[in-house]
Amino acid sequence: MKILKSEDFLMVKKLKKYIKKYYVLIILNMLLALISSAVSVSPLGLIKRLVDAGILGSNEKDILYAAGGMICLAAIGAVLIYWNGVLSAVISSSIYKNITDDLYVKIQSLDMEYFSRTKVGELMVKVLNDPSNVNYLIIESFNMFSEAFKAIFCLAAAFYIDWKLTLGVLVIAPILITTVKRYSKKLKTAGRARQEATGILNSKLQETLSGIRVIKAFAMEKEEIKDFKKKSMELKRVALKSARYTSKSSAISEAINYIMVAMLLMFGGFRVLRGNHFTTGDFITIVGAISSMYTPVKRAMSRYNEISMNIPSIGRIFEILDVVPEIADAPDCVKFEEFRSDITFENVDFSYKDNDEKILKNINLVAKKGETVALVGNSGGGKSTLVNLIPRFFDVDAGMITIDGINVKNYKIKSLRKKIGIVPQETFLFGGTVLENIRYGNQKASVEEVIEAAKKANAHEFIEKLEQGYETEIGERGVKLSGGQKQRISIARAILENPQILILDEATSALDNESEQLVQDALEKLMKGKTTFVIAHRLSTIINSDKIVVIQQGEIKEVGTHEELLDKDGIYKSLYNKSFKN
């Protein structure tokens, strides 16, 4: 029987880079498993002496010798099994850590395009559950080999005593092997389905927790519960299917075991009655060997089934690890030191990978140093996409974007993004303190510098009123703060980073009037002396811009100052009259 099929072998082979670091420990562990298996089976060799010489021969010394030997072997075996288990855990947990570390590092390097088409819940399953499954797979592999060694030693003992009787009993072994092969394939398929169903359910849970406010606002609790139950029922169905395969395999194995024991008792009994140098001690020893062989065989089969179910996790892990980021530093890239001149869009086209429709079409635009460029237009016209191309969250399909005459693709990504500050509509704050969040983009900043940034962002006053001031824990995603407070902390973070290029993506659109005034004042301080792209929402944000760009359906329709565009009596004036006029 092949332990692994070709496709399984290829998946397991992918783990080689992690396993080879621990070759010495693995070899030592296998030796420990081999020795402990031999020791655990060794008492079988004392049974014949106990029965024939001790009990039937009425020799108390032989009884004591055999019993004492068994006790000593049991103690030695226990020590070996303990260290075998500890070493297995050390190896598997080390590989688990290395895999999860690599997954996290890989995720940090992936393009925004990847995240736009991947559900967070499914990604979390691949990062957390699948490495855990591989950890379990490695431990089960060690245990399976240990059980296999025990079974082999038991079989060897039985063959040594009477190979003909042993061979006769094993005639039904092919049925057992066929059963294992048949159900391991089904269990592997069921295991993959279970992992995918778990990913879907986790994704649903993550989505629900993130959007709980919207769910409650629209009174959609019943509908969401119904959908969740549907997905959890699918997971239950897959789990039950897997359990049925496991139970069938176990039931057949159990029946075969009883048949083997029955055959052994029958044929062995006949041999004892007929003599032929086959003693009662031989009979009891071979019965003990075959019986002892069954438990490790059953466990080995069970562990093999568990391994089959978890092998797909390896493939799912490498679905992430094998991704090659398209947005990466070019071999001859240079560090972006200082913004000196302008940002230029030249004949830029862009579309998302999973959609052939162009989001941006033939964009030509120049933003000079120190200018404020406002982008206006209907929702979905491509404004946010355009500014996301500057820090290379996405790359253009055609044309190019240059900063100071150099293509952004030729700058080191990290150095480019360090010079660009972004204040989005929906501020994201990390779990931790106010101080840690403001300092996020500039870890070396002093407390005094943090406070100064907070003052400029009109955040210092409310921060001081918090229970522990700057050391106040704000909760996951800043749940303990209002929208305006979170936005001002975000602005303070940007001020402390002191970017040369600034992107404001509808930074005040979700705020009430009072919060907007505070945030708008903070933004004006932040914008001073910087090249700023503003995605406009309200008149106060754009009326004084150096350049207003009207974008519709991915194309630039008009460019000019507020007065120039009003004089044109075109799209901008229409938008102004409909949306911006107070």
Side-chain angles (χ1 to χ4, degrees):
M1 179 185 75
K2 289 183 179 180
I3 297 298
L4 293 173
K5 294 191 174 180
S6 57
E7 62 268 25
D8 295 340
F9 179 75
L10 289 174
M11 273 198 276
V12 173
K13 193 176 179 181
K14 285 177 176 285
L15 290 177
K16 183 179 178 181
K17 62 177 283 191
Y18 296 102
I19 293 172
K20 67 181 181 181
K21 297 178 183 178
Y22 305 100
Y23 276 162
V24 173
L25 288 179
I26 290 171
I27 292 170
L28 178 60
N29 197 39
M30 297 298 280
L31 285 172
L32 271 176
L34 189 67
I35 296 168
S36 66
S37 298
V39 170
S40 66
V41 174
S42 296
L44 289 171
L46 298 171
I47 292 176
K48 178 178 173 62
R49 181 169 184 174
L50 177 70
V51 174
D52 289 341
I55 298 173
L56 298 180
S58 301
N59 190 326
E60 293 181 356
K61 287 185 179 180
D62 283 303
I63 294 174
L64 290 172
Y65 175 83
M70 289 178 181
I71 292 170
C72 290
L73 289 169
I76 295 170
V79 173
L80 291 172
I81 289 170
Y82 170 78
W83 285 110
N84 187 212
V86 168
L87 204 51
S88 295
V90 168
I91 296 167
S92 62
S93 60
S94 298
I95 292 173
Y96 168 80
K97 180 188 179 301
N98 293 341
I99 290 174
T100 51
D101 287 351
D102 283 358
L103 281 170
Y104 190 80
V105 171
K106 171 61 74 169
I107 285 172
Q108 295 291 346
S109 73
L110 293 175
D111 308 331
M112 291 300 296
E113 183 83 44
Y114 178 87
F115 296 104
S116 68
R117 65 174 185 267
T118 305
K119 291 183 177 179
V120 174
E122 292 181 14
L123 192 59
M124 287 179 67
V125 170
K126 288 182 180 180
V127 174
L128 298 176
N129 289 23
D130 286 324
S132 181
N133 290 341
V134 171
N135 178 43
Y136 182 66
L137 180 153
I138 293 168
I139 290 177
E140 288 297 276
S141 297
F142 284 133
N143 290 335
M144 185 185 75
F145 281 113
S146 182
E147 300 293 353
F149 289 150
K150 290 176 187 175
I152 291 169
F153 282 124
C154 287
L155 185 62
F159 266 101
Y160 178 76
I161 294 167
D162 194 312
W163 68 270
K164 291 181 181 178
L165 178 59
T166 304
L167 199 61
V169 171
L170 293 178
V171 292
I172 60 172
I175 300 174
L176 189 64
I177 294 170
T178 304
T179 301
V180 173
K181 288 182 67 177
R182 178 184 175 187
Y183 285 102
S184 66
K185 182 179 180 180
K186 292 182 177 181
L187 283 166
K188 186 182 74 172
T189 304
R192 187 165 199 44
R194 182 194 65 190
Q195 289 156 9
E196 289 174 355
T198 301
I200 291 170
L201 193 65
N202 278 24
S203 182
K204 178 64 183 177
L205 178 60
Q206 189 274 334
E207 185 179 68
T208 299
L209 294 175
S210 298
I212 192 67
R213 185 171 182 173
V214 176
I215 293 169
K216 290 187 176 295
F218 285 90
M220 290 291 289
E221 291 93 341
K222 285 186 178 180
E223 287 75 10
E224 292 296 330
I225 289 169
K226 183 180 178 181
D227 189 41
F228 185 85
K229 285 184 175 180
K230 181 180 177 182
K231 289 177 170 60
S232 66
M233 180 58 73
E234 176 61 19
L235 179 57
K236 177 184 176 183
R237 186 189 67 78
V238 172
L240 286 175
K241 189 175 183 180
S242 176
R244 282 198 295 271
Y245 291 146
T246 303
S247 297
K248 284 181 181 179
S249 177
S250 297
I252 294 170
S253 301
E254 194 77 23
I256 291 172
N257 171 64
Y258 284 124
I259 293 170
M260 288 174 63
V261 172
M263 291 175 65
L264 177 63
L265 291 173
M266 180 177 68
F267 293 126
F270 289 153
R271 291 291 302 277
V272 172
L273 292 175
R274 293 171 182 172
N276 295 324
H277 306 290
F278 190 78
T279 67
T280 302
D282 291 329
F283 175 62
I284 293 175
T285 301
I286 201 169
V287 168
I290 298 294
S291 299
S292 298
M293 183 179 72
Y294 169 70
T295 298
V297 166
K298 183 180 178 181
R299 287 176 181 167
M301 286 173 53
S302 176
R303 298 186 194 287
Y304 179 72
N305 288 338
E306 290 293 329
I307 291 168
S308 297
M309 288 179 66
N310 286 298
I311 279 179
S313 286
I314 301 172
R316 286 164 55 85
I317 287 168
F318 281 90
E319 284 174 6
I320 298 176
L321 292 178
D322 290 342
V323 174
V324 178
E326 293 182 19
I327 298 176
D329 286 335
D332 56 347
C333 64
V334 296
K335 186 177 181 181
F336 184 49
E337 298 284 359
E338 185 178 354
F339 179 44
R340 295 184 174 86
S341 177
D342 57 59
I343 300 170
T344 303
F345 289 75
E346 297 180 20
N347 305 316
V348 168
D349 289 350
F350 175 79
S351 61
Y352 292 105
K353 295 290 186 289
D354 56 354
N355 193 338
D356 294 332
E357 182 184 355
K358 286 186 179 180
I359 306 299
L360 297 174
K361 308 164 192 173
N362 196 35
I363 299 295
N364 287 279
L365 179 66
V366 177
K368 295 180 179 178
K369 183 177 180 180
E371 280 190 338
T372 296
V373 178
L375 306 177
V376 301
N378 296 328
S379 179
K383 303 184 296 296
S384 294
T385 301
L386 187 147
V387 295
N388 283 334
L389 296 176
I390 300 171
R392 290 192 70 196
F393 291 151
F394 303 93
D395 271 345
V396 301
D397 294 339
M400 66 177 175
I401 301 170
T402 63
I403 299 179
D404 296 337
I406 299 175
N407 194 322
V408 291
K409 293 182 179 180
N410 293 326
Y411 285 118
K412 290 182 178 180
I413 295 172
K414 188 172 181 179
S415 69
L416 174 65
R417 291 176 182 170
K418 278 289 184 183
K419 301 296 182 181
I420 300 173
I422 301 174
V423 181
Q425 177 181 353
E426 294 184 12
T427 302
F428 185 94
L429 298 180
F430 295 89
T433 66
V434 173
L435 182 70
E436 289 167 344
N437 272 277
I438 295 176
R439 199 187 261 164
Y440 187 76
N442 186 354
Q443 300 287 322
K444 295 179 181 179
S446 66
V447 174
E448 290 73 21
E449 288 172 324
V450 170
I451 293 173
E452 184 60 29
K455 287 178 178 178
K456 290 179 180 178
N458 293 331
H460 178 70
E461 188 177 341
F462 88 78
I463 293 172
E464 286 282 270
K465 292 178 181 178
L466 295 175
E467 187 177 350
Q468 292 178 294
Y470 284 83
E471 295 298 333
T472 301
E473 293 280 341
I474 61 174
E476 187 178 3
R477 299 173 70 95
V479 70
K480 296 180 181 180
L481 303 176
S482 69
Q485 290 173 333
K486 287 193 286 187
Q487 198 68 301
R488 280 177 277 165
I489 287 178
S490 174
I491 293 168
R493 184 165 61 191
I495 290 172
L496 193 64
E497 188 182 12
N498 193 28
Q500 297 178 8
I501 300 165
L502 192 60
I503 295 172
L504 308 179
D505 192 349
E506 300 199 60
T508 63
S509 65
L511 304 178
D512 55 52
N513 290 332
E514 183 180 352
S515 295
E516 185 193 4
Q517 290 175 4
L518 289 168
V519 170
Q520 188 62 45
D521 180 63
L523 287 173
E524 288 173 4
K525 295 174 185 174
L526 174 61
M527 292 164 63
K528 192 171 292 185
K530 295 179 175 61
T531 305
T532 307
F533 289 83
V534 180
I535 295 180
H537 177 73
R538 297 182 184 177
L539 179 62
S540 57
T541 312
I542 66 162
I543 195 167
N544 296 319
S545 298
D546 299 295
K547 191 178 292 179
I548 297 173
V549 182
V550 181
I551 300 177
Q552 283 195 338
Q553 296 179 332
E555 295 181 274
I556 293 178
K557 299 295 185 180
E558 296 174 355
V559 180
T561 64
H562 175 69
E563 290 78 12
E564 288 170 348
L565 293 178
L566 286 179
D567 289 342
K568 281 186 178 180
D569 197 22
I571 298 171
Y572 177 76
K573 186 172 182 180
S574 176
L575 289 171
Y576 174 78
N577 289 333
K578 289 178 182 178
S579 306
F580 298 134
K581 195 171 183 179
N582 290 329

